[in-house]
Amino acid sequence: MGRTKRPDGSQTPRSNPTGSQAGPMDEYLQTPAAASREQAGATIADSPHHVLPPETAGPTLTDISADIRALAAQMVTKTDLQTLSDDLHAAIRLEVTALRAEMTTHNGRLQTLEGNMQETMGRTGTTTTAVTRQGNMLLALRRQTEDLDNRGRRSNIRVRGLPEPQTDEDIEATLKALFQTILGEDLPADLTFDRAHRANRPRIPDGTPRDAICCLHHYKHKERIMQKARTRPLWRFRGADVALFQDLSPLTLEARRALRPVTTLLRERNIPYKWGFPFALLARYQNEWIPLRWPEESPGFLHRLELPPTEITDWVLGPLEPRPRPPTPRPQRRRRGDSPRRPTACRHLDPAEPEE
């Protein structure tokens, strides 16, 4: 069959390959790729004898074989993998050997340190025991020294408030007159002094008299005076109030000062107490004397007396912050032509008033 021709002799137009009809906007909406294809088709149609140049033709079989051989040559082989594995194993084996040697060294050092630590712990325990023993010995020596000091002061009387003249005084005659005021006609005729002096410190600028300390030759004379002196807290002598105390060791005075809160509670509860030698605080409660000799015994002492817990300073080791000492006066420079002066006496802390 031949093609059907129109009556006017024209052929039937071809249908659009895209299935869409051409419109007036196609020239504006056509994509660049379609335009290029149409232009190339028009060019090829215009030149029916067009032949592609040789350089645009595909690779040949020889080129493809050469490329495949080149790629195969660059691929990793089993030998290469085996060599890489051997090198890796050798490096790991070397590192492990070094680590083992280092661990062996550290193990030896650790065992040495553990042995030294055990030896040190043993020596520390021995040292701690020795230090504790020496501490107990020092406390015993301290207690013994304090007791010996107090025994050496048994015949001493400390007089506080006794008027002190600005010039030299006959301290023994003044003390005899004071004891005459206290005892009256009971003053022993053979009353004698082994020593009598003022406290070893400079004069106070405000005129406060220094304590007078005397040592009686006979202990019984001292006890007679103190028994009569305890009947009054103060004695009137030459226009001044005078108090008499037992001369005590500074360690004993420090301990009594530390126990002042306890003695205050005892007086508030009307619990009788007294001081013992060697140093001890004895309180009578329910017909029993309860002693307090060391700071560690304070809680039990308060509990047995049914007293509230009270903070007490350790009178053996002393407070954590020692009390400041008064400054020592600086000696004055002597000018030329001045007469030599009497050297300034060393300044010492005056013992605080003991509780009697």
Side-chain angles (χ1 to χ4, degrees):
M1 294 180 60
R3 290 185 177 180
T4 305
K5 296 182 179 181
R6 290 186 177 184
D8 54 1
S10 62
Q11 295 181 355
T12 303
R14 294 180 180 180
S15 60
N16 192 357
T18 60
S20 61
Q21 298 181 358
M25 300 298 293
D26 288 347
E27 57 179 338
Y28 301 102
L29 300 178
Q30 190 175 13
T31 59
S36 300
R37 287 194 301 268
E38 291 180 359
Q39 184 176 3
T43 304
I44 294 173
D46 293 340
S47 56
H49 301 285
H50 177 74
V51 180
L52 293 176
E55 59 271 9
T56 59
T60 62
L61 183 59
T62 304
D63 296 336
I64 294 174
S65 300
D67 293 340
I68 292 175
R69 285 193 295 270
L71 291 175
Q74 294 178 0
M75 291 179 65
V76 179
T77 63
K78 184 177 180 180
T79 304
D80 296 337
L81 293 177
Q82 185 64 34
T83 304
L84 181 61
S85 178
D86 295 341
D87 295 342
L88 182 60
H89 288 168
I92 293 176
R93 190 178 298 107
L94 183 62
E95 293 292 335
V96 170
T97 302
L99 288 176
R100 286 180 178 177
E102 187 175 358
M103 289 179 64
T104 303
T105 304
H106 288 329
N107 187 22
R109 292 181 179 179
L110 183 59
Q111 291 179 357
T112 303
L113 289 176
E114 289 179 352
N116 294 337
M117 185 181 66
Q118 292 179 358
E119 183 179 359
T120 303
M121 291 178 63
R123 292 181 179 179
T124 302
T126 304
T127 305
T128 303
T129 304
V131 170
T132 303
R133 185 180 304 169
Q134 292 176 2
N136 295 333
M137 294 174 61
L138 289 176
L139 292 178
L141 290 175
R142 182 184 185 275
R143 178 62 62 89
Q144 184 177 3
T145 303
E146 179 184 359
D147 183 58
L148 291 175
D149 192 3
N150 286 323
R151 290 180 182 275
R153 299 169 184 256
R154 286 184 301 174
S155 299
N156 290 5
I157 298 178
R158 179 178 288 267
V159 182
R160 183 159 299 172
L162 186 67
E164 181 180 6
Q166 298 298 326
T167 58
D168 294 339
E169 62 175 341
D170 187 357
I171 189 65
E172 292 186 5
T174 304
L175 291 174
K176 279 187 178 181
L178 174 63
F179 298 155
Q180 178 68 41
T181 304
I182 296 175
L183 294 179
E185 298 179 356
D186 296 335
L187 182 68
D190 58 344
L191 182 67
T192 56
F193 297 91
D194 289 342
R195 295 177 303 276
H197 58 86
R198 292 281 179 174
N200 187 19
R201 59 182 176 83
R203 294 176 182 268
I204 301 177
D206 60 0
T208 303
R210 296 174 294 176
D211 292 353
I213 304 171
C214 64
C215 176
L216 300 179
H217 185 72
H218 297 285
Y219 177 76
K220 60 181 180 179
H221 294 167
K222 173 257 180 183
E223 281 297 313
R224 185 183 302 178
I225 294 172
M226 291 303 299
Q227 288 177 2
K228 188 62 180 296
R230 290 190 182 99
T231 58
R232 297 182 188 178
L234 297 174
W235 291 84
R236 195 70 180 173
F237 179 73
R238 295 182 182 179
D241 292 329
V242 180
L244 278 71
F245 304 99
Q246 169 67 47
D247 189 28
L248 297 173
S249 168
L251 296 177
T252 302
L253 295 176
E254 188 69 27
R256 292 190 179 188
R257 189 180 300 110
L259 290 174
R260 189 169 296 170
V262 179
T263 56
T264 302
L265 289 176
L266 294 176
R267 286 193 295 266
E268 292 177 354
R269 303 293 178 88
N270 295 324
I271 300 177
Y273 69 93
K274 64 180 180 180
W275 300 104
F277 296 95
F279 176 79
L281 175 61
L282 303 173
R284 187 173 181 82
Y285 187 70
Q286 296 180 354
N287 297 327
E288 181 184 2
W289 286 103
I290 302 175
L292 174 60
R293 297 184 179 89
W294 300 100
E296 298 81 13
E297 301 174 356
S298 300
F301 179 80
L302 297 175
H303 178 71
R304 293 182 63 182
L305 295 176
E306 298 181 359
L307 297 177
T310 305
E311 183 178 358
I312 302 175
T313 305
D314 191 338
W315 63 84
V316 175
L317 301 179
L320 296 179
E321 297 181 358
R323 295 181 301 170
R325 298 176 60 92
T328 304
R330 298 177 58 185
Q332 298 180 357
R333 294 184 179 179
R334 190 178 61 180
R335 300 179 181 178
R336 293 182 179 179
D338 293 347
S339 58
R341 295 183 180 181
R342 188 176 181 180
T344 305
C346 297
R347 182 168 184 173
H348 299 281
L349 284 179
D350 189 28
E353 174 180 338
E355 298 177 12
E356 290 287 336

